[in-house]
Amino acid sequence: MPADPAVTGHLHAQGPAPTGDVQLQLTDVHHSVRSRGSTVEILRGVELTARAGQVTALLGPNGAGKTTTLMVAQGLERPTSGTVRLLDQDPWRAGADLRSRVGVMLQDGGMPLAATPERLLRHVCTLYRDPVDMPRLMERLGIDEFARRDIRRLSGGQRQRVSLAAALAGRPQVIFLDEPSAGLDPVSRQLVFELIRELRASGMAIILTTHLLDDAQRLADHVVLLRQGRVVRRGTVSELTSTSEAPALHFRVDRAVPSVALDEVPAGLTVQAEPGHSSAGGGTPTGSSYVVHGAQRPSDLEALAAWWTRHDLMPTDLHLARRSLEDVFLEVTP
C-alpha cells in the first residue's frame, strides 16, 4: 500500500528531525522501588539511545525492566539516579510542549470502554493545535470498519489499532509503542508494520517493546536486550546475529533417517534430529526434521545430496537458517 501523506509526510507539526539525530538518551539510569519494607532495584544502569528515522526495539524476558524503562523515558516515573533526555529535555520536569511532541501507545490502552473509537479519536485530536488528519488515519488502519462500536466490544487487536491512532494524533516526533502487534490478526499486523516503516522513513524516532522476536528482527534498526534491569546486548540486528559459522541447513524427510545412514554422514558434516522431532528408528506420519552443520562450500551440498541418494532420502523441505534474534535472546535468557 503506498504511503499516505496525511499519515506520514505531514505528520510532524514542526518538521521531522534529521535522520540520525538523538531523540532519546538514557545514561546510567537506575530505578528502585520500596516493596515490603525493602528496596528493590528494577533498573541497574540502563543505557539507551534512540535516533530520528530509526526503530529501536527494547527486548527482554518478563521482569527484565522493559516497561519501567519506557515509563522512565516518557517521564511517567522518576529515575533514582542517572540522566534521561527526551527531545533534549528532562521528561520528568517537562511541560505540555514536550508532551505534545511525544506519542505513547500503551498495550492495555487505558481507553474509556463506553466510548466509540470515532468519538475518542475525535476528542483526542481536539487536545492538539495541529492534529493529524484522523479520518484518513482511521481509514489507513481499518478503524473506520468498527468506528461506531463501543470500545468494550472490540477485540484486543482492534483496540491496539485505536491506541496507535491516538498515539499519532498530535503528529509526534517520538513515539513509544508497547507491544504494537499484540493480538493483531495477520492482515492488521501487516498494516501496522507498513505504517511503522513509513513513520520511520518520515523521520520519526520509534521506540517499541515486543515479545515477538520475528517482529523485532523485521522492523528494528537498533536492538537493546535487557535482563534483570541491565543491558546485556545492544546493536543492529546484523551485528547481534552475525557469526563466523556457516548457516545451519534444515531438512525434512517423510521418514526417520536410519542409524546406518547417520553413521555414514559425509566428512566435515554433522546431521542431528531437531528437538521435538523423531530421530533414527522412529518416524512419524508428518515426517522427521534434521539440522546439518558444517556445510560451507558447494561441494558440501553436493556430498550431502549424494548421501541422500545413497540412502533413498528425499527432502520434502529444505532451507538455510542464519542466526536469529531468537538465538541471541536464548543465549542471555535463563
Side-chain angles (χ1 to χ4, degrees):
M1 182 179 296
D4 186 336
V7 177
T8 55
H10 302 295
L11 207 151
H12 296 287
Q14 301 175 1
T19 298
D21 277 12
V22 174
Q23 305 292 74
L24 171 68
Q25 183 83 57
L26 274 65
T27 305
D28 194 24
V29 168
H30 293 253
H31 184 69
S32 301
V33 296
R34 295 286 295 175
S35 177
R36 298 179 181 180
S38 61
T39 299
V40 178
E41 193 171 23
I42 307 298
L43 301 182
R44 308 177 183 187
V46 170
E47 305 269 347
L48 186 150
T49 301
R51 300 179 181 274
Q54 294 185 4
V55 174
T56 301
L58 191 60
L59 308 179
N62 290 334
K66 302 186 301 296
T67 298
T68 302
T69 299
L70 288 188
M71 293 179 71
V72 167
Q74 296 161 14
L76 297 174
E77 291 281 357
R78 188 176 188 178
T80 305
S81 63
T83 303
V84 181
R85 303 296 292 177
L86 177 59
L87 294 174
D88 206 29
Q89 297 185 50
D90 178 352
W92 178 255
R93 301 178 183 278
D97 173 65
L98 177 64
R99 306 295 174 201
S100 67
R101 298 159 63 197
V102 177
V104 177
M105 173 189 176
L106 301 176
Q107 185 180 2
D108 294 332
M111 297 179 288
L113 299 182
T116 65
E118 184 178 56
R119 286 166 47 205
L120 173 66
L121 295 174
R122 185 168 59 236
H123 170 72
V124 171
C125 284
T126 66
L127 304 177
Y128 298 97
R129 183 179 305 166
D130 185 23
V132 72
D133 185 337
M134 185 55 72
R136 292 177 71 178
L137 178 56
M138 290 172 63
E139 181 181 3
R140 178 66 196 278
L141 289 172
I143 297 172
D144 53 338
E145 299 174 4
F146 50 84
R148 298 185 179 181
R149 194 182 309 166
D150 285 356
I151 289 173
R152 66 162 57 92
R153 300 181 183 277
L154 302 183
S155 68
Q158 289 171 334
R159 293 188 192 189
Q160 285 291 87
R161 284 184 272 167
V162 176
S163 184
L164 175 57
L168 291 170
R171 306 174 187 253
Q173 291 176 255
V174 178
I175 188 167
F176 294 91
L177 306 178
D178 192 5
E179 300 284 348
S181 58
L184 296 181
D185 61 71
V187 174
S188 299
R189 189 172 174 226
Q190 189 60 35
L191 278 174
V192 170
F193 282 5
E194 289 175 357
L195 182 56
I196 289 174
R197 292 189 183 101
E198 291 168 16
L199 295 172
R200 172 178 59 189
S202 77
M204 187 178 295
I206 302 166
I207 301 97
L208 63 83
T209 68
T210 181
H211 282 91
L212 302 176
L213 299 177
D214 286 347
D215 289 2
Q217 186 146 348
R218 291 172 62 185
L219 292 172
D221 299 288
H222 190 77
V223 174
V224 176
L225 182 53
L226 288 175
R227 178 186 172 193
Q228 297 178 346
R230 291 189 174 92
V231 175
V232 291
R233 298 282 176 88
R234 71 171 77 241
T236 65
V237 171
S238 60
E239 288 170 346
L240 291 176
T241 59
S242 64
T243 176
S244 58
E245 298 178 2
L249 188 150
H250 299 257
F251 71 91
R252 175 182 283 272
V253 287
D254 59 7
R255 61 186 175 88
V257 176
S259 298
V260 64
L262 292 174
D263 292 337
E264 298 176 1
V265 171
L269 303 182
T270 61
V271 177
Q272 297 173 319
E274 296 203 62
H277 296 276
S278 58
S279 58
T284 66
T286 57
S288 303
S289 294
Y290 294 83
V291 58
V292 181
H293 292 286
Q296 302 187 46
R297 298 172 298 277
S299 59
D300 295 324
L301 298 181
E302 184 179 7
L304 183 64
W307 177 73
W308 286 330
T309 301
R310 284 196 306 275
H311 296 283
D312 194 27
L313 298 170
M314 180 61 189
T316 58
D317 180 69
L318 177 66
H319 67 278
L320 289 170
R322 293 193 176 275
R323 191 164 180 255
S324 67
L325 272 183
E326 182 176 2
D327 296 324
V328 178
F329 185 90
L330 294 174
E331 287 175 4
V332 300
T333 303

